[in-house]
Amino acid sequence: KNQVEQSPQSLIILEGKNCTLQCNYTVSPFSNLRWYKQDTGRGPVSLTIMTFSENTKSNGRYTATLDADTKQSSLHITASQLSDSASYICVVSARDSGYALNFGKGTSLLVTP
Amino acid sequence: AAGVIQSPRHLIKEKRETATLKCYPIPRHDTVYWYQQGPGQDPQFLISFYEKMQSDKGSIPDRFSAQQFSDYHSELNMSSLELGDSALYFCASSLTIGGVGAGDTQYFGPGTRLTVL
């Protein structure tokens, strides 16, 4: 069964600190992995997308890594800001299913002053 | 544990017909999101509701409408269906704790696969 597990479920950090969110998946055959940022009640915003051959990708203060061998990904946030408070969702798609995306439950991040 | 329920799971309609998709959030969740995912595409955010009020609107066509009812379930109504509406429609729910901007865990339903012939 294709699954995407994220940890931690929630995280509170002080403004200016760094943090790392984890995503483990069992989706196979792997196609790509995406990280989204989503505020409550809002639509998701795509941060990064990585295919099998990519093992790191940055978007400003966000850096995602992918280890396709261990089926793990991480999202590192540098110098956090209050506006980083949001839910971060890991989504993995399989190569042989044109439709299905497998969603993680997300990590809820709260950045405090 | 109870999950997000969507019905029907599969739906086949003809062009110009109407369709209604239903979403039952996890008990006590107050926020519902709707997404549309076409073949090989990213899910597109359509619309969201918090406490029965629309909280955000994305790329939802004018032919579509949605609402959240007093029991927090939501319905997506689609009229004058077009071939391009064939997609997987996801619903997600969350419990809003920190208010808008705080970020809460979303739980996605299994989706409704709509095919328009």
Side-chain angles (χ1 to χ4, degrees):
Chain A
K1 180 181 177 183
N2 289 333
Q3 287 187 310
V4 179
E5 303 284 342
Q6 289 188 243
S7 63
Q9 183 175 345
S10 61
L11 184 62
I12 301 174
I13 62 173
L14 291 174
E15 185 180 13
K17 296 296 185 181
N18 304 335
C19 68
T20 300
L21 315 181
Q22 300 290 344
C23 174
N24 298 334
Y25 61 92
T26 59
V27 177
S28 181
F30 175 82
S31 175
N32 60 69
L33 184 148
R34 312 152 193 257
W35 283 94
Y36 289 96
K37 175 188 176 186
Q38 186 163 19
D39 293 326
T40 299
R42 306 292 189 188
V45 174
S46 179
L47 297 176
T48 63
I49 176 170
M50 289 183 292
T51 58
F52 185 87
S53 60
E54 299 174 291
N55 53 26
T56 187
K57 185 165 281 189
S58 293
N59 178 359
R61 293 179 297 103
Y62 302 100
T63 299
T65 64
L66 172 66
D67 185 335
D69 291 331
T70 61
K71 300 187 177 181
Q72 296 178 326
S73 176
S74 65
L75 180 69
H76 187 73
I77 304 174
T78 304
S80 61
Q81 300 175 358
L82 298 180
S83 60
D84 292 333
S85 295
S87 182
Y88 291 84
I89 305 173
C90 175
V91 183
V92 184
S93 64
R95 193 164 8 102
D96 62 353
S97 59
Y99 282 86
L101 290 187
N102 301 278
F103 293 92
K105 289 185 168 55
T107 292
S108 179
L109 174 66
L110 179 62
V111 181
T112 62
Chain B
V4 175
I5 298 172
Q6 290 187 245
S7 68
R9 294 294 308 278
H10 301 272
L11 188 59
I12 300 175
K13 290 285 186 178
E14 301 271 344
K15 279 196 318 183
R16 293 180 287 279
E17 286 190 320
T18 61
T20 297
L21 309 186
K22 297 184 179 183
C23 171
Y24 297 88
I26 291 173
R28 292 186 298 280
H29 279 195
D30 51 16
T31 307
V32 169
Y33 308 77
W34 284 99
Y35 299 87
Q36 176 194 58
Q37 187 191 0
Q41 297 178 6
D42 270 358
Q44 297 295 314
F45 170 69
L46 294 179
I47 195 167
S48 60
F49 294 88
Y50 166 64
E51 282 292 343
K52 293 154 279 185
M53 299 288 289
Q54 181 182 308
S55 59
D56 196 11
K57 192 172 182 179
S59 54
I60 185 169
D62 293 339
R63 298 177 289 107
F64 294 5
S65 64
Q67 57 182 327
Q68 186 179 30
F69 294 86
S70 57
D71 63 351
Y72 294 98
H73 95 272
S74 178
E75 294 184 4
L76 178 65
N77 299 295
M78 311 159 72
S79 62
S80 302
L81 286 171
E82 302 173 356
L83 296 179
D85 296 330
S86 295
L88 192 59
Y89 290 83
F90 285 106
C91 169
S93 75
S94 67
L95 174 62
T96 297
I97 298 174
V100 173
D104 299 292
T105 300
Q106 276 187 73
Y107 295 81
F108 284 83
T112 292
R113 188 182 299 276
L114 172 66
T115 302
V116 181
L117 303 175

